[in-house]
Amino acid sequence: MVLSIPLAQVPIVSPNMGVHSRSMTKTIAPLDTYLCADCGLIQLVHVVDPSLIYQKYLYRTSVSAGLSRHFRDLCDRAIGRLALKPGSFVVEFGSNDGTLLAHFKDTGMKVQGVDPAEEIAKEATAAGIQTQAAFFDETTASMIVAEHGPASLVLSNNVMANIDDLSPVLRAIKLLMAQDGAYIFETQYALDVFEGTLLDVIYHEHISCFSVQPVVEAFKRFDLEVFDAERIATKGGSIRFWVQHKNGPHPVSQRVGELIALENETGLYDLVYHQHFGEKIAAIKSAIHGHVANVKKAGGRIAGWGTSVGCAALIHQFELENKIDFLFDDIPFKDHLEGPGYSLPVMTGSSVMKENPALIIVLAWRYAHMIIPKHQNYADGGGRFLIPLPDISTQP
């Protein structure tokens, strides 16, 4: 049984997808989130064909500020806790450009990546991180085991939430992971998403929004055991799961039970809690439109900052398609962001003073503390920044 929590509809063609057809951008995917009344999983039920999204993927892990350093810390944590040694075999699916695996390789380990993005897989392989261009499933796992043997560590980061049917993936993990091995995955944490109003992580690529209770129950079905769950700061609030075979060598941390208790105490599995979230989003949207109306009334132009898929989702969630005149991004993937009925020019951040909009809506709001100080001259000249999340604010 699922309970619906209505949100917006967004185009299924995002900045991360290598599809440029204007006809395709007219296709939209509802972003209504659903709460499973049985296990508590929060999910989308309108699923976009993954081959459309990932085989021509544009995003590279290495462009995300601070992510390589975070992966270095993850590597160190895994080596220390799992007693990995030079020569240990490490596999990551959804490995993208190999940023994480490169850290393990640097310590002398044997690594293998799996990623469906064909060009990115080629680039990673050319850079020394052997990467198979494929979706991760039992066939892929069997081929890897046949060639290299079982993996001491299996990894995936910000991948599991993007997969519709997880059963084949969990079977593949069980097949690939050594009996004393571990599987570590990081994903957005549902409690942080809703408590911190992380609206920009709810879009068509993220089919599930994980919390500890449903993950523990799902893995049990495959004789896999969550032995720890750590809250981490990435992407505004994520969680790192540590998994082993049932009755594996690691004791189950008390954090697992504590987080399940916290989720229930907070109301994460109650529909009313999610209805309040929807009401908060509606209030933020109304406030943004008020600022926009004042700027337009005075004849000013409005820019957005950010062209990632999350930024594109916010444009639609807040219905800004016909209110923003253009976009800025320090590392743009395209020169235009296309969507239903609009085509927004994309410029680099160095153009702020030249374009001099009256208001910049920082869609990439997590990086506002890095973006705004670089453009003090713009602010000194009367320009304003609007940060929409987690609560709307303006600077100066």
Side-chain angles (χ1 to χ4, degrees):
M1 176 183 177
V2 290
L3 307 171
S4 174
I5 306 119
L7 287 173
Q9 297 190 100
V10 302
I12 66 169
V13 178
S14 75
N16 279 347
M17 297 160 62
V19 180
H20 302 278
S21 166
R22 289 177 183 268
S23 63
M24 294 206 60
T25 61
K26 294 178 182 178
T27 304
I28 58 176
L31 280 185
D32 295 346
T33 56
Y34 288 76
L35 172 68
C36 177
D38 296 322
C39 74
L41 179 64
I42 298 161
Q43 60 200 297
L44 306 182
V45 297
H46 302 280
V47 179
V48 178
D49 181 353
S51 63
L52 175 63
I53 301 174
Y54 298 111
Q55 286 183 341
K56 302 297 181 183
Y57 209 57
L58 299 179
Y59 167 80
R60 268 70 168 171
T61 299
S62 55
V63 306
S64 291
L67 200 52
S68 179
R69 183 172 62 253
H70 169 75
F71 283 162
R72 173 74 257 179
D73 293 340
L74 169 57
C75 175
D76 292 341
R77 287 268 292 138
I79 290 171
R81 188 166 186 178
L82 304 175
L84 300 177
K85 297 177 175 59
S88 294
F89 184 39
V90 179
V91 177
E92 182 185 9
F93 61 92
S95 53
N96 198 264
D97 61 10
T99 298
L100 173 56
L101 287 178
H103 293 302
F104 286 94
K105 185 177 180 181
D106 287 345
T107 67
M109 296 185 195
K110 185 168 66 171
V111 301
Q112 173 69 51
V114 179
D115 197 290
E118 297 161 354
E119 285 302 315
I120 296 177
K122 288 179 184 177
E123 292 172 10
T125 299
I129 305 299
Q130 188 66 40
T131 304
Q132 182 176 352
F135 287 102
F136 182 68
D137 56 19
E138 292 167 274
T139 300
T140 308
S142 296
M143 291 172 61
I144 293 172
V145 172
E147 183 174 355
H148 302 286
S152 299
L153 174 61
V154 182
L155 296 156
S156 67
N157 286 281
N158 303 303
V159 172
M160 289 292 276
N162 302 30
I163 301 171
D164 180 25
D165 185 0
L166 288 169
S167 295
V169 174
L170 295 181
R171 288 194 293 267
I173 291 167
K174 187 171 180 61
L175 176 63
L176 177 59
M177 187 169 61
Q179 283 305 305
D180 61 349
Y183 167 51
I184 302 173
F185 76 100
E186 296 180 0
T187 186
Q188 205 80 50
Y189 185 34
L191 196 61
D192 286 323
V193 169
F194 291 94
E195 289 291 288
T197 324
L198 308 183
L199 179 64
D200 55 326
V201 304
I202 301 175
Y203 52 83
H204 56 276
E205 290 180 23
H206 294 166
I207 299 165
S208 300
C209 191
F210 288 123
S211 49
V212 180
Q213 178 174 290
V215 167
V216 167
E217 292 305 312
F219 277 72
K220 277 183 183 177
R221 291 170 45 211
F222 296 86
D223 287 332
L224 295 168
E225 181 177 61
V226 175
F227 67 88
D228 203 356
E230 297 179 87
R231 296 180 78 169
I232 53 178
T234 51
K235 298 182 180 293
S238 297
I239 190 161
R240 177 185 295 154
F241 288 101
W242 299 70
V243 181
Q244 63 186 353
H245 290 287
K246 183 179 179 181
N247 300 321
H250 305 283
V252 176
S253 168
Q254 67 180 19
R255 279 189 293 210
V256 175
E258 289 171 351
L259 285 173
I260 291 174
L262 177 62
E263 291 163 3
N264 281 277
E265 290 166 8
T266 306
L268 184 63
Y269 306 118
D270 297 331
L271 183 60
V272 171
Y273 177 87
H274 294 272
Q275 290 170 335
H276 289 162
F277 178 79
E279 292 165 1
K280 181 176 182 180
I281 297 306
I284 292 173
K285 172 181 164 182
S286 177
I288 292 172
H289 283 201
H291 285 280
V292 167
N294 290 335
V295 170
K296 293 293 187 181
K297 186 176 180 180
R301 295 190 303 160
I302 295 175
W305 192 296
T307 59
S308 71
V309 62
C311 295
L314 287 185
I315 290 174
H316 295 273
Q317 290 282 14
F318 293 135
E319 296 184 2
L320 299 173
E321 302 95 318
N322 300 314
K323 302 184 187 308
I324 292 176
D325 297 295
F326 50 89
L327 295 164
F328 293 119
D329 197 308
D330 281 329
I331 309 176
F333 288 108
K334 297 180 178 182
D335 59 8
H336 279 76
L337 182 67
E338 309 283 354
Y342 70 87
S343 177
L344 294 172
V346 179
M347 307 172 192
T348 63
S350 60
S351 303
V352 167
M353 287 300 294
K354 177 184 175 183
E355 298 298 331
N356 197 30
L359 180 69
I360 298 176
I361 301 173
V362 186
L363 303 167
W365 61 275
R366 287 187 190 81
Y367 301 102
H369 67 288
M370 299 168 62
I371 294 167
I372 294 174
K374 294 179 181 178
H375 301 283
Q376 189 60 48
N377 289 343
Y378 165 74
D380 291 343
R384 289 191 306 139
F385 293 93
L386 184 151
I387 303 97
L389 296 171
D391 297 288
I392 188 168
S393 63
T394 59
Q395 292 188 29

